[in-house]
């Protein structure tokens, strides 16, 4: 059943608890990349402009010791948010207690406060209250507000107190605009794809992606394989893969996937090899049949790019996870660039790229605006591509059934 979105939620005059993803890189108190703060603005502004009182909160990194609190405070984020919003953001350096409760009760319509890193609660003598979804904590945070909005996709694959805990203790909840977009694009592409639907899988290891491969093989019309994982498949076909990344213990699995997939699965025909995992050594293109024992395949070759581009022709849905090669080094980035180009030339297709490194590659290589959607959720994107239920989303209220009743379904 579809989940309530922000537009379905009454926020006027309400104390709105908003779980955002402000897990930004901070070094010595300076924010190195504020994209996640900017990305939360539409949700926050919508609530403020529609008469809500916002109580915003997020985790920031992992908090394991008392000392971690110094580098993991959200204070600099509150300051940056204030600049971006152009209105005061009251920061409460606590995750609970009298000061926070008083500040919440003093909030007026159109005002916002932020409280401290939710993972400070992981230092509780009773255990990791936030990360283990301690029932007391979710209930307490829920008691601070009237309604709840989850706009943190990156942690939606985890059941924490700040998402599942609160949502289970509050009647009215919704997903924010960022989560809504992720559900629409990834969910839409995987569950109701316009066909032909082509999936592209790459990245480091088969073992990280078994669930994604299996789910997408089931749903897509074609599955293109590149990246480090291609060598386990090539080896399963009896080829010499030299010193390339290989997972011996996944050879049987690769064989059974190859068998099941038949000609749905498309493998590279050539690869860029070097003798060392370095950018400043000689490299060359060889056929996947011609690797020497000391060759290390670090990218797909130009004929593979051509083949993949041809397979992508006419696609109406493309889902991509995992770079085609070691894109971090310029000599081995051409395969990933080539596939980005092929996708950029598709007309009228829904194109989604997800996964931490995959999203980074698309952005770094300059193709961010060529995709319909870049999923920045990392682990959450992967679990969603695997077809798993995301607990942080599942806990949100369902859209009204239309029968006029007021309870959750
Ligand atoms: P994502 O984070 O998008 O899910 P992965 O973490 O699975 O993607 O894979 C990304 C990593 O895979 C990159 O760091 C890239 O350098 C590496 N990679 C891609 N191709 C190869 C290869 N042929 N050999 C070794 N590493 C590779
Ligand atoms: Mg990764």
């Amino acid at each position: 059943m579809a989940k309530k979105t922000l537009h379905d939620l009454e926020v006027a005059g309400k104390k709105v608890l908003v779980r955002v993803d402000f897990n930004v890189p901070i070094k010595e108190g300076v924010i190195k990349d504020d994209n996640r703060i900017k990305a939360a603005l539409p949700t926050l502004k919508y609530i403020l402009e529609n008469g809500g009182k916002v109580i915003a909160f997020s985790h920031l990194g992992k908090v394991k010791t008392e000392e971690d609190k110094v580098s993991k405070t959200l204070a600099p984020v509150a300051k940056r948010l204030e600049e971006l919003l152009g209105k005061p953001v009251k920061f409460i350096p606590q995750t609970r207690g009298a000061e926070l409760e008083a500040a919440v009760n003093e909030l007026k319509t159109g005002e916002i406060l932020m409280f401290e890193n939710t993972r400070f609660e992981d230092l509780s003598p009773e255990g990791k209250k936030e990360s283990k979804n301690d029932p007391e904590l979710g209930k307490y945070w829920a008691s601070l507000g009237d309604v709840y909005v989850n706009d943190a996709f990156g942690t939606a694959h985890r059941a924490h107190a700040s998402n599942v805990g609160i949502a289970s203790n509050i009647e009215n909840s919704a997903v924010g605009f960022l989560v809504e977009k992720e559900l629409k694009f990834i969910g839409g592409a995987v569950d109701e794809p316009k066909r032909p639907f082509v999936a592209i899988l790459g990245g480091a290891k088969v073992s990280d992606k078994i669930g994604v491969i299996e789910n997408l093989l089931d749903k897509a019309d074609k599955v293109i394989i590149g990246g480090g994982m291609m060598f386990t498949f090539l080896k399963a076909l009896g080829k010499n893969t030299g010193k390339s990344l290989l997972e011996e213990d996944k050879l049987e699995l690769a064989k059974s996937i190859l068998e099941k997939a038949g000609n749905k699965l498309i493998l590279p025909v050539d690869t860029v090899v070097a003798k060392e995992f370095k950018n400043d050594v000689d490299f060359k293109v060889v056929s996947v049949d011609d690797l020497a024992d000391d060759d290390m395949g670090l990218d797909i070759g130009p004929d593979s790019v051509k083949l993949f581009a041809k397979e992508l022709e006419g696609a109406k849905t493309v889902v991509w996870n995992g770079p085609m090669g070691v894109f971090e080094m310029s000599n081995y980035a051409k395969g990933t660039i080539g596939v980005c180009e092929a996708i950029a030339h598709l007309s009228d297709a829904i194109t989604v790229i997800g996964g931490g490194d995959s999203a980074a590659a698309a952005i770094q290589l300059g193709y961010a605006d060529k995709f319909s959607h870049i999923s920045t959720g990392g682990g959450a994107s992967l679990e969603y591509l695997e077809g798993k239920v995301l607990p942080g989303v599942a806990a949100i209220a369902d859209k009204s059934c239309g029968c006029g009743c007021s309870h959750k379904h």
Side-chain angles (χ1 to χ4, degrees):
M1 160 100 48
K3 294 296 167 186
K4 274 194 182 166
T5 65
L6 198 41
H7 290 297
D8 302 319
L9 198 69
E10 182 67 57
V11 296
K14 299 271 199 292
K15 289 180 278 187
V16 188
L17 296 159
V18 190
R19 172 58 158 104
V20 283
D21 181 0
F22 284 166
N23 186 29
V24 295
I26 299 182
K27 225 173 167 187
E28 279 148 23
V30 181
I31 297 169
K32 295 293 169 194
D33 177 353
D34 63 1
N35 276 320
R36 284 187 168 160
I37 309 176
K38 287 182 178 148
L41 293 177
T43 286
L44 296 176
K45 280 186 175 162
Y46 172 89
I47 300 170
L48 295 169
E49 281 161 14
N50 285 279
K53 308 167 184 178
V54 173
I55 302 140
F57 47 96
S58 171
H59 80 283
L60 175 64
K62 286 190 173 137
V63 182
K64 291 178 178 157
T65 61
E66 279 297 324
E67 294 79 75
D68 284 347
K69 285 183 163 181
V70 179
S71 58
K72 301 286 161 58
T73 173
L74 278 171
V77 175
K79 210 153 164 267
R80 184 75 189 113
L81 177 62
E82 187 164 272
E83 289 161 13
L84 291 167
L85 272 177
K87 64 158 62 199
V89 174
K90 191 174 172 67
F91 181 67
I92 308 295
Q94 296 180 334
T95 50
R96 63 167 78 219
E99 189 188 341
L100 173 60
E101 288 157 28
V104 166
N105 288 326
E106 279 160 22
L107 269 183
K108 295 191 184 66
T109 288
E111 287 185 350
I112 171 167
L113 71 76
M114 231 180 96
F115 67 76
E116 189 52 283
N117 186 350
T118 54
R119 289 198 184 156
F120 280 19
E121 289 282 342
D122 284 350
L123 291 178
S124 161
E126 292 149 59
K128 294 185 178 180
K129 289 203 153 192
E130 156 72 330
S131 302
K132 291 269 158 74
N133 187 17
D134 181 275
E136 181 273 332
L137 183 57
K139 206 168 169 186
Y140 170 73
W141 279 336
S143 76
L144 297 175
D146 302 313
V147 295
Y148 172 69
V149 174
N150 186 4
D151 210 17
F153 186 73
T155 46
H157 59 314
R158 303 275 180 251
H160 289 174
S162 64
N163 57 11
V164 172
I166 301 179
S168 339
N169 281 290
I170 214 158
E171 179 74 24
N172 276 312
S173 55
V175 296
F177 295 141
L178 273 180
V179 173
E180 183 182 3
K181 189 164 180 251
E182 295 278 1
L183 300 182
K184 180 176 147 209
F185 278 101
I186 308 185
V190 176
D191 296 325
E192 294 165 347
K194 275 204 290 171
R195 295 188 185 273
F197 170 19
V198 181
I200 309 168
L201 298 172
K205 296 203 227 139
V206 179
S207 50
D208 291 340
K209 305 288 169 71
I210 297 168
V212 182
I213 301 173
E214 288 183 335
N215 190 37
L216 293 182
L217 256 182
D218 223 37
K219 304 207 159 136
D221 300 299
K222 279 177 202 164
V223 176
I224 292 172
I225 304 260
M229 67 159 71
M230 72 195 219
F231 296 101
T232 302
F233 286 96
L234 292 170
K235 183 85 179 184
L237 289 172
K239 299 187 195 295
N240 181 9
T241 55
K243 284 196 297 178
S244 311
L245 212 60
L246 176 70
E247 288 171 280
E248 297 272 1
D249 62 334
K250 291 292 171 282
L251 280 172
E252 285 309 309
L253 176 79
K255 274 182 201 162
S256 79
I257 289 174
L258 283 164
E259 234 164 71
K260 206 166 68 185
N263 45 22
K264 222 186 205 193
L265 201 89
I266 293 131
L267 286 168
V269 288
D270 57 355
T271 171
V272 180
V273 295
K275 303 293 181 195
E276 288 176 84
F277 192 83
K278 279 185 184 161
N279 203 43
D280 58 353
V281 292
D282 288 340
F283 61 96
K284 64 177 181 190
V285 176
V286 299
S287 151
V288 292
D289 293 311
D290 295 334
L291 272 83
D293 289 346
D294 60 349
D295 275 340
M296 192 186 285
L298 297 173
D299 194 10
I300 58 169
D303 285 343
S304 306
V305 171
K306 271 186 217 143
L307 171 70
F308 293 178
K310 202 160 164 289
E311 297 289 348
L312 280 163
E313 258 171 39
K316 290 287 173 254
T317 304
V318 178
V319 170
W320 182 3
N321 167 255
M324 294 292 98
V326 184
F327 72 96
E328 298 92 335
M329 301 188 211
S330 59
N331 293 344
Y332 318 112
K334 295 186 197 86
T336 305
I337 294 174
V339 172
C340 282
E341 276 294 327
I343 289 174
H345 284 100
L346 293 176
S347 58
D348 195 27
I350 302 283
T351 56
V352 179
I353 184 163
D357 293 297
S358 309
I363 295 165
Q364 194 181 310
L365 299 172
Y367 288 87
D369 59 346
K370 302 294 183 201
F371 290 86
S372 314
H373 180 60
I374 299 189
S375 177
T376 50
S381 321
L382 280 185
E383 292 204 12
Y384 203 32
L385 288 174
E386 285 175 36
K388 284 192 186 155
V389 169
L390 303 176
V393 173
I396 296 297
D398 292 327
K399 263 193 202 288
S400 142
C401 58
C403 71
C405 62
S406 61
H407 52 264
K408 281 196 216 177
H409 284 267

